[in-house]
């Protein structure tokens, strides 16, 4: 089917609405997992580092599997993937209610729910980009706040459900709520025209496919002729031998029609084998060339020192910046903050301020007089300082203020695509963003367990959050040093890899 032009409105606003609720429903519990984290500590009696793996996997697996998620959405479409992923998220949450140990939660909550969230994120972003062009930034900003609003609401909701129905009942109810993703996914109507032919490939991709098959047929014919000549030569030798020694068998051979038919079938089979062999060789050559081009583009990206610094910064940011959203409630309990002082859950404060940060930082990034790269670096440095201040906060008010600051600065996710685009250019955005998201997922998966292991080792969160703050500060200063190079050098276009040599050779034959 041929894709229609993005309408920038109409049914697109329905897509924005359902994508908002999809991210709200799928990411609400995994991002607000800090409430469940306390219950799992008491229920299973495992260490903080091991228990933290559950929440970190739920957030990191989807990012680690982003290439697979993109492939699924490209192959099957956003609607089928969203519906299937809705079953995954709901089923994983419900299964977690029956978890007998922490290892079962690694699979049911960490992997199943995490992978379902990754698929849903890719589906919602893809379908929104298809429906919007000139107002794409606004649309993506609106749907991205769904996860932040989900964190704000689910933190209080899960706490309330645990009080009334216990941990198992809470997970069952939250899983049932996640089933509402199914009707949201069914409304993600693909932007296609049913009466148009299939879209053609780009010129560079189309030439090798079309002409390599043509050239392949020409060479298959030559190979088949050689094979047939050899077979005919062997047949003549056989006939001369029969004429000299055994004329009866020769006469029987010419008189048997079944033998003649079998000979023709053998010749046809050999010809087909030759054709298929050559086709497989050409296909392998083409896939190998694409793989070499991909590796060449990846190496070229890492030759850009700002991109290399950006990949280090995003990894360290997620190692140090993600644990507060998971562990802040336990930090308050470890600081002997009384339950009566909790006016609003700390995780809810992080969630609502993250939504505010995404919107405000996104608006600031649109101003031409603001350097988006330096704005992103500033958020990293201030976040590192706020993380280092957590060990000195011993009251609910101080922890709430720090939670608000951390939540606002975590909203720098909304400007990260801008930074990536300015670093590598729009042509390399998809490739570069996929690599960066992989390392972000790796940082998400490692951050909370590392902080938990520091607590198990020292029985305090002080060293753990000093370590987290230093990680984020280190990433910010590395990116700052790399960005001090001249602007023209940083925006220099990366060299394009040379096209495959066999593409021109095959086309010239035609």
């Amino acid at each position: 089917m041929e894709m229609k032009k993005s309408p920038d409105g109409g049914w697109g606003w329905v897509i924005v609405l359902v994508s908002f609720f999809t991210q709200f429903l799928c990411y609400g519990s995994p991002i607000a997992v800090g409430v469940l984290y306390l219950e799992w500590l008491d229920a299973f009696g495992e260490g903080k580092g091991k228990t933290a793996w559950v929440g970190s996997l739920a957030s990191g697996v989807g990012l680690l599997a982003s290439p697979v998620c993109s492939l699924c959405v490209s192959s099957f479409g956003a609607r089928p993937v969203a519906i299937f992923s809705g079953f995954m998220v709901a089923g994983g949450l419900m299964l977690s209610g029956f978890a007998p140990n922490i290892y079962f939660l690694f699979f049911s909550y960490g992997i199943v729910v995490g992978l379902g969230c990754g698929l849903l994120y890719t589906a919602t972003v893809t379908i929104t980009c298809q429906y919007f062009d000139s107002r794409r930034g606004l649309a993506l900003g609106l749907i991205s706040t769904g996860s932040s609003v989900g964190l704000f609401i689910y933190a209080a909701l899960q706490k309330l459900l645990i009080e009334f129905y216990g941990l198992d009942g809470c997970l069952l109810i939250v899983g049932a709520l996640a089933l509402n993703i199914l009707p949201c996914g069914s409304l993600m109507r693909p932007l296609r025209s049913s009466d148009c032919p299939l879209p053609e490939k780009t010129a560079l991709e189309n030439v090798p496919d079309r002409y390599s098959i043509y050239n392949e047929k020409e060479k298959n014919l030559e190979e088949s002729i050689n094979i047939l000549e050899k077979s005919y030569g062997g047949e003549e030798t056989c006939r001369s031998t029969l004429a000299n020694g055994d004329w009866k068998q020769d006469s029987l051979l010419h008189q048997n029609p079944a033998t003649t038919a079998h000979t023709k079938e053998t010749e046809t089979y050999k010809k087909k084998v030759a054709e298929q062999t050559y086709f497989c060789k050409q296909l392998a050559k083409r896939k190998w060339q694409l793989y070499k081009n991909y590796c060449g583009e990846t190496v070229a990206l890492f030759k850009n020192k700002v991109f290399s610094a950006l990949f280090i910064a995003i990894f360290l940011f997620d190692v140090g910046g993600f644990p507060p959203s998971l562990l802040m409630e336990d930090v308050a309990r470890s600081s002997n903050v009384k339950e009566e002082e909790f006016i609003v859950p700390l995780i809810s404060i992080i969630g609502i301020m993250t939504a505010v940060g995404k919107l405000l930082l996104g608006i600031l990034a649109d101003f031409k007089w603001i350097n988006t790269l330096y704005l992103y670096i500033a958020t990293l440095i201030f976040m590192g300082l706020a993380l280092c201040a957590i060990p000195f906060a011993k009251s609910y008010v101080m922890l709430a203020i720090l939670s608000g600051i951390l939540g606002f600065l975590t909203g720098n996710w909304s400007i990260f695509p801008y930074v990536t685009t300015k670093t590598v250019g729009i042509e390399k955005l998809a490739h570069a963003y996929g690599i960066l998201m992989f390392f972000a997922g790796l940082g998400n998966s490692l951050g909370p367990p590392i902080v938990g292991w520091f607590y198990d080792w020292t029985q305090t969160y002080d060293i753990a959050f000093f370590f987290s703050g230093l990680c984020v500060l280190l990433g910010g200063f590395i990116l700052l040093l790399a960005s001090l190079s001249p602007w023209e050098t940083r925006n220099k276009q990366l060299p394009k890899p040379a096209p495959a040599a066999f593409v021109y050779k095959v086309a010239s034959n035609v």
Side-chain angles (χ1 to χ4, degrees):
M1 299 294 180
E2 185 179 1
M3 301 295 297
K4 291 181 180 178
K5 185 180 178 181
S6 301
D8 273 301
W11 190 259
W13 294 115
V14 178
I15 297 295
V16 169
L17 182 63
V18 298
S19 296
F20 172 88
F21 279 108
T22 297
Q23 292 202 16
F24 170 83
L25 292 167
C26 73
Y27 277 107
S29 180
I31 297 182
V33 72
V35 176
L36 304 175
Y37 171 76
L38 297 177
E39 301 298 323
W40 287 330
L41 282 174
D42 298 335
F44 301 115
E46 300 286 352
K48 295 181 185 292
K50 183 183 291 187
T51 308
W53 270 109
V54 181
S56 63
L57 284 175
S59 298
V61 165
L63 293 174
L64 287 171
S66 56
V68 178
C69 297
S70 299
L71 179 62
C72 291
V73 174
S74 300
S75 302
F76 304 106
R79 178 192 280 173
V81 170
I83 294 174
F84 175 77
S85 304
F87 281 112
M88 285 187 67
V89 173
L93 290 170
M94 291 180 181
L95 279 176
S96 300
F98 302 97
N101 51 53
I102 198 70
Y103 300 102
F104 187 88
L105 284 174
F106 290 163
F107 170 74
S108 62
Y109 199 97
I111 296 178
V112 177
V113 176
L115 185 58
C117 290
L119 288 167
L120 285 168
Y121 176 80
T122 306
T124 53
V125 170
T126 301
I127 193 70
T128 303
C129 289
Q130 290 177 1
Y131 272 86
F132 287 89
D133 186 14
S134 60
R135 288 180 282 187
R136 183 176 295 168
L138 174 62
L140 290 175
L142 290 173
I143 69 171
S144 67
T145 58
S147 58
S148 302
V149 176
L151 171 58
F152 173 73
I153 294 178
Y154 268 78
L157 176 64
Q158 290 184 145
K159 202 167 186 178
L160 188 64
L161 290 175
I162 289 172
E163 292 178 0
F164 282 96
Y165 304 103
L167 178 61
D168 299 344
C170 170
L171 289 169
L172 289 174
I173 294 173
V174 171
L177 289 175
L179 289 174
N180 290 287
I181 297 173
L182 304 182
C184 291
S186 65
L187 292 174
M188 294 181 185
R189 187 172 63 197
L191 187 64
R192 294 186 175 183
S193 177
S194 58
D195 54 350
C196 293
L198 291 172
E200 295 183 358
K201 298 181 179 179
T202 60
L204 184 59
E205 294 178 349
N206 205 10
V207 168
D209 284 340
R210 184 188 307 164
Y211 293 140
S212 62
I213 295 174
Y214 177 85
N215 188 29
E216 164 198 325
K217 292 181 179 178
E218 294 293 331
K219 295 208 170 195
N220 286 337
L221 183 58
E222 295 175 3
E223 292 180 4
S224 301
I225 291 173
N226 293 334
I227 294 172
L228 292 176
E229 285 179 353
K230 291 178 181 180
S231 64
Y232 289 152
E235 185 178 350
E236 291 296 332
T237 304
C238 180
R239 287 180 179 177
S240 62
T241 303
L242 290 173
N244 293 331
D246 197 350
W247 60 270
K248 290 184 180 181
Q249 292 183 11
D250 182 67
S251 61
L252 290 173
L253 177 64
H254 286 283
Q255 292 176 1
N256 191 350
T259 305
T260 304
H262 177 71
T263 303
K264 292 182 178 180
E265 290 178 0
T266 303
E267 294 170 359
T268 304
Y269 174 75
K270 289 180 178 180
K271 186 176 179 180
K272 289 182 178 180
V273 169
E275 291 177 356
Q276 294 298 326
T277 301
Y278 187 79
F279 175 78
C280 292
K281 288 180 180 179
Q282 290 297 100
L283 183 62
K285 282 183 180 180
R286 175 166 170 75
K287 295 301 181 183
W288 174 249
Q289 189 63 41
L290 291 175
Y291 175 75
K292 286 177 63 179
N293 290 345
Y294 181 84
C295 293
E297 291 176 2
T298 303
V299 173
L301 283 174
F302 280 99
K303 288 181 180 179
N304 184 334
K305 64 179 183 180
V306 179
F307 176 81
S308 299
L310 192 61
F311 119 79
I312 296 173
I314 190 65
F315 173 74
L316 293 176
F317 168 76
D318 280 275
V319 168
F322 177 65
S325 63
L326 176 62
L327 304 173
M328 192 58 78
E329 295 291 329
D330 192 48
V331 170
R333 188 168 69 172
S334 300
S335 300
N336 297 320
V337 177
K338 298 179 181 179
E339 290 287 340
E340 297 79 16
E341 299 180 19
F342 278 78
I343 303 172
V344 180
L346 297 176
I347 297 180
S348 296
I349 296 175
I350 293 176
I352 196 63
M353 290 305 297
T354 301
V356 174
K358 287 179 178 179
L359 293 176
L360 290 183
L361 291 174
I363 293 172
L364 288 175
D366 288 332
F367 289 107
K368 295 181 179 180
W369 52 272
I370 291 182
N371 189 312
T372 312
L373 180 60
Y374 291 144
L375 177 63
Y376 183 75
I377 293 172
T379 61
L380 295 181
I381 294 175
F382 283 115
M383 173 169 274
L385 295 175
L387 287 168
C388 291
I390 289 178
F392 302 102
K394 301 299 181 182
S395 65
Y396 172 79
V397 175
M398 289 300 300
L399 288 173
I401 293 173
L402 289 175
S403 296
I405 295 173
L406 291 172
F408 179 84
L409 296 173
T410 305
N412 63 6
W413 274 100
S414 64
I415 63 174
F416 189 70
Y418 287 85
V419 176
T420 308
T421 304
K422 187 158 289 190
T423 302
V424 302
I426 190 66
E427 298 83 5
K428 305 289 183 181
L429 176 61
H431 188 181
Y433 200 72
I435 295 173
L436 294 173
M437 287 301 99
F438 175 84
F439 285 102
L442 188 62
N444 268 349
S445 301
L446 295 178
I450 291 175
V451 172
W453 288 330
F454 269 114
Y455 184 91
D456 294 336
W457 177 39
T458 62
Q459 295 302 308
T460 178
Y461 277 115
D462 293 352
I463 297 179
F465 279 102
F466 284 138
F467 168 79
S468 297
L470 289 176
C471 283
V472 179
L473 282 173
L474 179 61
F477 282 119
I478 290 175
L479 187 57
L480 178 62
L481 291 176
S483 65
L484 293 178
S485 59
W487 185 256
E488 292 78 10
T489 304
R490 187 165 61 249
N491 280 341
K492 186 177 180 180
Q493 289 288 339
L494 296 174
K496 294 184 179 180
F502 73 90
V503 172
Y504 297 102
K505 180 180 178 182
V506 176
S508 63
N509 289 340
V510 178

